[in-house]
Every structure is written in structure tokens, then in C-alpha cells.
Amino acid sequence: MNTNNVQPLATFENLEDPDYFYDYVTQLLDTNLPLDYNELITSKQEIWVTVLLGLSQFMVFPQASETLLWTAFARKVEMVEKWMELIERASTRIVGLYSEPGNLAEEVLTKLLGLSCAFWAWDGHQNCDSATYTPLYMREKTLRVMLIVVRALGDSVTTAPSDRRLWQTLRMFLVECLDVIRDFASGPATLTPSNVKFFKDASLSQSIVSVFEIKLHSPSYFDAFLLSGIEAVSQTLCLPMRSKWFFSDLLRLIPDSTRLLFDFYSSPSCLASPDLRRKLLNRVVMNVIPFYRLHPGFCGPLKALPYRLLQYQLRSPDLQDTEVKVINEAQMVISASRTDIVSALQIVRIEPLERAKAVVLQFICNNIPFMDSETLDATTDIVTAVNLGSHRDKLLSRLESRRNEIITTDVKDSANSIMIWMRKVQALIEDLYVPDHILWSDEEESASEDQFAYMALHRLRKWSQR
């Protein structure tokens, strides 16, 4: 099968029609990148770059509006979905695609991030669950395809200038995302449409006539951009890329940037509706989980987020199970501080609603496996002192089980540490006696620390007298 029959586009005129665009890309995929044929393409990369750049210029989605229906753009949605499928297959199967002149990487990354913002804005405007491709599905796919492109750029690490340019392009994209997030989230809110420009300092090809920018039409686009940006950067830094060492300094910026974003979404500066604001906060915390799991040493500013999310959710009269699930999943990885646990106990004491009280109790119980002895003591004192009704005995039982677990662990650790130093002493003495071989008696093997120390000194004395 000849899978490299791609031809340069003669004209872009007809591609504005979603039906023509869809059919063209479908034929391109079926002819050159079929699903059942995984051979890598190693030639005609320059033609592929021309074609993909030409197609990408049509990746602008209509602005979300209360007066328009998502289903009215069903064919446009299919057109974008098909383009993302093409980018996904091309990124994984065309060797050196992004090394060619033309700034394809810059174009694709910017388009994908812009589409992610658009789909999030549409998702917040209306219920589109009946659509074949929902805004949420499309947004998740843009992020997934973006990470595939990121992987293609980040895995190109050689001494070749073209490969060096790839990870430098990726780094520039990540840094600019973080810069915008930190500037916008920590500064006054902007209510007017803005253009966020990328790759301002890049060395672009002379053929590039447009800048790489994302238009933020409204506050909902602004909120979406901040979320999409932090997700793109943090999830990129979780990928096992060959060039990951060139981005290691960015690891320290993620926790504080995430905290700033959480502060913004929970403040009056964010103009999102209460329901949308809760969705944004949930996504911020969910995005933290994989990053925290891989890089816990950098994540001090993130420890308070699950409890802060819980406090925010309790303000809602219709707390959803899906929202509670977010906190539970986060606590599998992120343990709360002693201060937050004590604060949560006070909420249980005064909270009149049983549903809310049960959620807070679950939060406390989720943290018990992480508690040290001091936190256990403080928690037990409060549980004993305050009136928690029928929940009191259950909590005390869980706390006591954790205390016994710590005692057992301490005993094992102590025994292991004793065994370790005794084995080290034995090894040192054996080295001194080389080439003679020492056989340790059963009495020495089962001796207490003091007895073993005495026997070891006796062995050393005998060796010194040889």
C-alpha cells in the first residue's frame, strides 16, 4: 500500500465549506494515514507541513452565544474533530514533521488551545448532552491531541538544530502560558475582549503572515483560557519526555500558579455563574492530582486546596455526588493539614444539614490513614470533647485503628533499624577477618542489642590480638 500520496493544496477556497473540508480530510486519512496501517512516513514532510498549515487556518470556532444553539454547528464540530484526528495521526506517524520549516508546531499548539477555550465557553452556556459530540467531549479531545503534539516535540532531543528548536518551541509555549496565567490570575480582572499572543520572541519563517494568538471574546473565554493553560502545562510536565530536564525549572511554578488560579476562581473577580465557578474549581483540583503524585516535593501550596474546595462546595444547597467525588479522589493523594482537620471537625459540630455533615465526616475519615501521632491526639481530643452525635463512636474507632497501626509500624521500623545496624557491624567484622570466614552462632544471631554489642566487641578484641 502506498500511504504517501499527499499532494499540496491547490486552493483553500472550498475548504471553508465544512462538508468539503470533512470529505477532503477523510480522504487524506484513508489514503495516507489509515488506522490499519502503522508504517512510519519518512518522506514528503514538507508537503505535509504545507497541507496541515493550510487546513489549520480554518480551525476557528464560532463564538459561544446564548442566542445560538450548539447543534446548529454540528457539521463544523465534525470538521474540527476530523482535523484533530488528522493532527493526532500525523504527529505520531510522520517522522520529523515538526522539524520542517513552516512553524507548524506553533500553529497547531495555538489552534488547539484556542479551540479548548471555545469548547469550554460553549459547555458553560447550554446543555448539549444530546449532541453527537458535546462541547466537553471536544474540549477533552483538544487537550489529549495537544499532549500528543507536545510529546512529539518533547521527545526530539538530539544535537541537530532542528530538534533543538522543537523542545525550545515547546518550552516557549509553556512559559508563555504560565506567564499569562500568573499575570491575569493575580491582577485585576479584564472584562473586555483580549488577544493573547504566543511565540512573540520566536524566530518565525518568513512565510508566516499571521501571528499566533487566541482571542478571548468574553469573561467565559478568559476563565477557560486560564484553566486550559494550567492543564496543558501541568500535564505536559507529567509526561515522560526525553527533554523533560529542559523544563524542570517550571515544576516550581505550577503549585503557586495553581493556587493563584484557585484564588481567582473563588473570588469576586471571576464573573462566572455559581455553577460554572464550581466546575472550574473542581477542574483545578482534579488537575492537581497527577502532578502532586509525581512531584510531591514541590506541592506545598496545593495541600490546602481539597479542604478549600470542600468549604466552597458546602455553600451550595445542591451539592452533587460528582463534586464530592472530586474531593475524595484528591484526598487519595493529598492529605489535609492538622489545622484543616480541626476546622472540619468544627463544621461537623455546627452543621445542621445531615448531607453536608456526612460529606465533611468523609473528608475527615479520608485523612485518618495519613495522620501522625500528634494529629491523631489533637483530633481525638476534639472528637471526645464536642457533640458529634452518632458519628462520635465511629470516628473514635477509626482513630484508634490508625493509632494501633502506627504503633505496629513503629515496632517493625524499630526492629528493622536494629537489624540493619547489627548486619552492618557483622559485615564490617567479616571484612576485617578476610580471608578467614566467620560463622555467627545462633546465640549471636538472636542476641539483644546490648548482648550483640558485647559479642561484637569480643570479636574485635580477638582480631586485634591476632
Side-chain angles (χ1 to χ4, degrees):
M1 179 187 294
N2 184 355
T3 60
N4 206 4
N5 294 319
V6 61
Q7 298 295 325
L9 291 168
T11 177
F12 297 136
E13 293 177 2
N14 295 329
L15 290 174
E16 292 184 1
D17 174 39
D19 289 330
Y20 183 87
F21 186 103
Y22 185 91
D23 292 341
Y24 176 83
V25 175
T26 299
Q27 183 180 10
L28 197 62
L29 286 168
D30 292 344
T31 304
N32 298 275
L33 298 167
L35 280 173
D36 58 349
Y37 193 78
N38 295 321
E39 182 176 328
L40 296 178
I41 295 176
T42 58
S43 62
K44 296 188 178 180
Q45 287 90 337
E46 69 283 355
I47 299 179
W48 276 105
V49 169
T50 301
V51 171
L52 292 174
L53 283 173
L55 296 172
S56 297
Q57 67 179 281
F58 298 97
M59 291 300 103
V60 179
F61 202 80
Q63 181 179 349
S65 170
E66 296 289 355
T67 61
L68 298 175
L69 292 176
W70 169 260
T71 51
F73 300 101
R75 198 55 175 164
K76 179 72 174 181
V77 172
E78 292 174 351
M79 167 181 167
V80 174
E81 201 274 340
K82 186 61 67 173
W83 173 79
M84 287 195 288
E85 185 179 350
L86 175 61
I87 294 297
E88 179 179 349
R89 293 197 212 174
S91 298
T92 54
R93 296 186 29 202
I94 301 177
V95 177
L97 175 66
Y98 295 107
S99 300
E100 291 292 318
N103 303 105
L104 179 63
E106 290 88 340
E107 176 73 9
V108 170
L109 288 174
T110 308
K111 291 296 187 186
L112 286 169
L113 187 55
L115 289 169
S116 177
C117 298
F119 295 139
W120 179 271
W122 272 98
D123 187 54
H125 271 75
Q126 52 187 266
N127 188 341
C128 310
D129 292 342
S130 61
T132 304
Y133 297 119
T134 65
L136 182 59
Y137 167 84
M138 294 297 290
R139 184 183 181 278
E140 296 300 326
K141 181 157 186 175
T142 57
L143 181 60
R144 182 172 64 81
V145 175
M146 189 188 307
L147 292 176
I148 289 172
V149 175
V150 161
R151 188 70 182 267
L153 301 177
D155 274 345
S156 300
V157 182
T158 69
T159 56
S162 58
D163 282 351
R164 186 164 61 249
R165 183 179 64 82
L166 294 185
W167 68 257
Q168 288 173 342
T169 297
L170 175 56
R171 179 181 170 84
M172 187 178 298
F173 177 71
L174 300 179
V175 169
E176 289 177 335
C177 279
L178 283 175
D179 286 345
V180 174
I181 291 168
R182 294 169 71 84
D183 289 344
F184 280 11
S186 60
T190 176
L191 305 181
T192 56
S194 303
N195 291 347
V196 179
K197 296 183 179 181
F198 285 89
F199 307 107
K200 297 180 292 292
D201 300 323
S203 176
L204 303 179
S205 299
Q206 294 299 317
S207 59
I208 297 297
V209 295
S210 62
V211 295
F212 304 106
E213 66 179 16
I214 297 173
K215 190 172 184 61
L216 305 181
H217 300 283
S218 65
S220 61
Y221 278 78
F222 173 68
D223 296 335
F225 175 83
L226 297 179
L227 178 64
S228 298
I230 199 68
E231 287 183 335
V233 179
S234 62
Q235 292 187 37
T236 292
L237 297 179
C238 291
L239 294 175
M241 299 182 297
R242 296 174 185 170
S243 62
K244 62 182 179 180
W245 305 116
F246 298 114
F247 314 113
S248 58
D249 59 311
L250 303 183
L251 292 173
R252 299 182 181 276
L253 299 178
I254 295 296
D256 191 54
S257 300
T258 302
R259 181 191 58 79
L260 286 172
L261 191 53
F262 192 98
D263 292 345
F264 171 77
Y265 286 149
S266 56
S267 74
S269 296
C270 177
L271 301 181
S273 66
D275 288 344
L276 184 55
R277 189 190 299 257
R278 283 158 54 190
K279 288 174 64 175
L280 290 165
L281 291 170
N282 286 333
R283 287 297 297 244
V284 170
V285 173
M286 284 298 294
N287 184 61
V288 162
I289 296 174
F291 185 86
Y292 195 105
R293 185 180 287 117
L294 287 176
H295 310 291
F298 298 102
C299 292
L302 301 177
K303 285 185 69 68
L305 292 193
Y307 182 60
R308 290 184 61 191
L309 179 62
L310 172 66
Q311 290 176 303
Y312 192 88
Q313 289 180 347
L314 290 176
R315 302 177 194 173
S316 171
D318 58 339
L319 185 59
Q320 303 295 314
D321 290 340
T322 53
E323 295 176 312
V324 177
K325 184 180 178 181
V326 171
I327 297 177
N328 291 338
E329 289 185 13
Q331 289 189 281
M332 298 296 291
V333 180
I334 308 171
S335 60
S337 67
R338 189 185 315 169
T339 302
D340 288 343
I341 293 172
V342 171
S343 176
L345 283 167
Q346 299 301 331
I347 293 178
V348 175
R349 185 174 64 86
I350 63 176
E351 175 60 55
L353 298 176
E354 283 299 318
R355 163 68 169 156
K357 186 177 292 187
V359 170
V360 181
L361 282 168
Q362 184 61 51
F363 173 87
I364 296 169
C365 289
N366 288 342
N367 278 281
I368 290 178
F370 298 102
M371 290 184 183
D372 56 21
S373 296
E374 292 182 0
T375 306
L376 274 174
D377 291 340
T379 306
T380 302
D381 289 345
I382 296 175
V383 172
T384 305
V386 302
N387 180 17
L388 298 179
S390 60
H391 304 291
R392 178 176 175 272
D393 291 341
K394 178 183 176 182
L395 262 181
L396 287 174
S397 176
R398 295 280 297 271
L399 292 167
E400 187 61 26
S401 296
R402 173 58 181 162
R403 193 183 308 280
N404 293 334
E405 182 182 308
I406 290 177
I407 292 172
T408 302
T409 302
D410 288 345
V411 170
K412 289 181 179 179
D413 290 345
S414 176
N416 289 337
S417 62
I418 291 172
M419 187 63 68
I420 289 171
W421 82 259
M422 291 170 66
R423 291 290 176 256
K424 286 183 177 180
V425 170
Q426 285 179 332
L428 290 171
I429 293 175
E430 290 170 0
D431 288 343
L432 291 174
Y433 272 82
V434 172
D436 296 338
H437 181 66
I438 292 180
L439 292 176
W440 299 92
S441 66
D442 292 341
E443 183 181 7
E444 289 171 311
E445 291 286 358
S446 59
S448 65
E449 283 189 274
D450 291 342
Q451 291 172 333
F452 179 81
Y454 178 81
M455 295 174 182
L457 286 172
H458 179 68
R459 292 268 193 184
L460 289 172
R461 190 177 301 112
K462 287 180 62 176
W463 173 79
S464 65
Q465 293 173 353
R466 292 172 62 182

Short mmCIF file of all heavy atoms in Angstrom, two decimals, residues 3 18 44 97 140 230 239 253 284 315 325 355 391 405 413 420 443 465:
data_model
loop_
_atom_site.label_atom_id
_atom_site.label_comp_id
_atom_site.label_asym_id
_atom_site.label_seq_id
_atom_site.Cartn_x
_atom_site.Cartn_y
_atom_site.Cartn_z
N THR A 3 1.18 4.75 1.05
CA THR A 3 0.48 5.62 2.00
C THR A 3 1.06 7.02 2.02
O THR A 3 0.92 7.73 3.00
CB THR A 3 0.58 5.03 3.41
OG1 THR A 3 1.96 4.92 3.76
CG2 THR A 3 -0.07 3.66 3.48
N PRO A 18 -17.72 23.25 5.45
CA PRO A 18 -17.45 22.12 6.35
C PRO A 18 -17.57 20.76 5.68
O PRO A 18 -16.80 19.84 5.97
CB PRO A 18 -18.51 22.29 7.45
CG PRO A 18 -18.81 23.75 7.45
CD PRO A 18 -18.71 24.17 6.01
N LYS A 44 8.41 13.41 2.03
CA LYS A 44 7.40 14.41 1.69
C LYS A 44 6.88 15.18 2.90
O LYS A 44 5.74 15.66 2.91
CB LYS A 44 6.22 13.75 0.96
CG LYS A 44 6.59 13.14 -0.39
CD LYS A 44 5.37 12.68 -1.14
CE LYS A 44 5.74 12.12 -2.52
NZ LYS A 44 4.56 11.66 -3.27
N LEU A 97 8.05 15.59 11.28
CA LEU A 97 7.02 16.51 10.78
C LEU A 97 7.24 17.93 11.29
O LEU A 97 7.18 18.90 10.52
CB LEU A 97 5.63 16.01 11.21
CG LEU A 97 4.45 16.92 10.86
CD1 LEU A 97 4.27 17.01 9.35
CD2 LEU A 97 3.16 16.40 11.53
N GLU A 140 -12.07 17.87 25.83
CA GLU A 140 -11.17 16.81 26.31
C GLU A 140 -10.30 16.30 25.16
O GLU A 140 -9.12 15.98 25.36
CB GLU A 140 -11.98 15.66 26.91
CG GLU A 140 -12.78 16.03 28.15
CD GLU A 140 -11.90 16.52 29.29
OE1 GLU A 140 -10.78 16.03 29.42
OE2 GLU A 140 -12.35 17.40 30.03
N ILE A 230 -3.30 26.06 32.45
CA ILE A 230 -2.68 25.35 33.57
C ILE A 230 -2.75 23.85 33.36
O ILE A 230 -1.83 23.11 33.73
CB ILE A 230 -3.34 25.76 34.92
CG1 ILE A 230 -2.41 25.40 36.08
CG2 ILE A 230 -4.68 25.11 35.09
CD1 ILE A 230 -1.15 26.18 36.15
N LEU A 239 4.47 14.20 31.65
CA LEU A 239 4.80 13.25 30.59
C LEU A 239 6.25 12.79 30.70
O LEU A 239 7.13 13.59 31.04
CB LEU A 239 4.58 13.89 29.22
CG LEU A 239 3.15 14.26 28.83
CD1 LEU A 239 3.14 15.01 27.50
CD2 LEU A 239 2.28 13.02 28.75
N LEU A 253 6.89 26.39 39.48
CA LEU A 253 5.90 27.42 39.20
C LEU A 253 4.47 26.88 39.19
O LEU A 253 3.52 27.64 39.37
CB LEU A 253 6.20 28.09 37.85
CG LEU A 253 7.55 28.79 37.72
CD1 LEU A 253 7.71 29.36 36.32
CD2 LEU A 253 7.69 29.90 38.76
N VAL A 284 -9.72 22.49 38.57
CA VAL A 284 -8.40 22.89 39.09
C VAL A 284 -7.88 21.83 40.04
O VAL A 284 -6.71 21.41 39.96
CB VAL A 284 -8.48 24.26 39.79
CG1 VAL A 284 -7.17 24.55 40.53
CG2 VAL A 284 -8.76 25.36 38.78
N ARG A 315 -21.25 25.69 50.47
CA ARG A 315 -22.13 26.85 50.33
C ARG A 315 -23.31 26.55 49.41
O ARG A 315 -24.30 27.28 49.42
CB ARG A 315 -21.35 28.03 49.74
CG ARG A 315 -20.14 28.47 50.54
CD ARG A 315 -19.43 29.59 49.80
NE ARG A 315 -18.10 29.85 50.32
CZ ARG A 315 -17.23 30.68 49.75
NH1 ARG A 315 -17.58 31.35 48.66
NH2 ARG A 315 -16.03 30.86 50.26
N LYS A 325 -17.06 13.47 44.82
CA LYS A 325 -16.09 12.51 44.29
C LYS A 325 -14.75 13.17 44.00
O LYS A 325 -13.69 12.56 44.19
CB LYS A 325 -16.66 11.86 43.01
CG LYS A 325 -15.77 10.78 42.43
CD LYS A 325 -16.40 10.19 41.18
CE LYS A 325 -15.47 9.14 40.56
NZ LYS A 325 -16.06 8.57 39.32
N ARG A 355 -26.69 15.89 55.14
CA ARG A 355 -25.96 15.63 53.90
C ARG A 355 -24.59 16.29 53.94
O ARG A 355 -23.58 15.66 53.66
CB ARG A 355 -26.77 16.14 52.71
CG ARG A 355 -26.02 16.31 51.40
CD ARG A 355 -25.60 15.00 50.82
NE ARG A 355 -25.12 15.17 49.46
CZ ARG A 355 -24.29 14.32 48.86
NH1 ARG A 355 -23.85 13.26 49.49
NH2 ARG A 355 -23.90 14.54 47.62
N HIS A 391 -22.03 10.02 65.21
CA HIS A 391 -20.77 9.91 64.45
C HIS A 391 -19.55 9.77 65.36
O HIS A 391 -18.49 9.38 64.89
CB HIS A 391 -20.60 11.14 63.56
CG HIS A 391 -21.74 11.38 62.63
ND1 HIS A 391 -22.03 10.56 61.57
CD2 HIS A 391 -22.68 12.37 62.60
CE1 HIS A 391 -23.08 11.02 60.93
NE2 HIS A 391 -23.50 12.11 61.53
N GLU A 405 -2.19 1.01 64.21
CA GLU A 405 -1.38 0.81 63.00
C GLU A 405 -0.03 1.51 63.12
O GLU A 405 1.00 0.96 62.72
CB GLU A 405 -2.17 1.35 61.81
CG GLU A 405 -1.50 1.16 60.47
CD GLU A 405 -2.32 1.76 59.34
OE1 GLU A 405 -3.52 1.44 59.25
OE2 GLU A 405 -1.77 2.58 58.56
N ASP A 413 9.50 -0.85 62.39
CA ASP A 413 10.60 0.02 61.97
C ASP A 413 11.76 -0.05 62.95
O ASP A 413 12.93 -0.06 62.55
CB ASP A 413 10.12 1.46 61.85
CG ASP A 413 9.18 1.65 60.66
OD1 ASP A 413 9.14 0.76 59.80
OD2 ASP A 413 8.51 2.69 60.62
N ILE A 420 19.26 -3.74 60.94
CA ILE A 420 20.14 -3.14 59.93
C ILE A 420 21.50 -2.82 60.51
O ILE A 420 22.54 -3.15 59.92
CB ILE A 420 19.47 -1.87 59.36
CG1 ILE A 420 18.28 -2.26 58.47
CG2 ILE A 420 20.47 -1.05 58.56
CD1 ILE A 420 17.45 -1.09 58.03
N GLU A 443 23.42 -18.02 69.09
CA GLU A 443 23.33 -17.11 70.23
C GLU A 443 23.57 -15.67 69.79
O GLU A 443 22.88 -14.74 70.23
CB GLU A 443 24.36 -17.51 71.30
CG GLU A 443 24.28 -16.66 72.56
CD GLU A 443 25.33 -17.06 73.58
OE1 GLU A 443 26.18 -17.91 73.25
OE2 GLU A 443 25.29 -16.50 74.69
N GLN A 465 44.19 -8.99 68.52
CA GLN A 465 45.25 -9.74 69.21
C GLN A 465 45.88 -10.78 68.31
O GLN A 465 46.76 -11.53 68.75
CB GLN A 465 44.66 -10.42 70.45
CG GLN A 465 44.21 -9.42 71.53
CD GLN A 465 43.48 -10.10 72.66
OE1 GLN A 465 43.17 -11.31 72.60
NE2 GLN A 465 43.18 -9.33 73.71
#
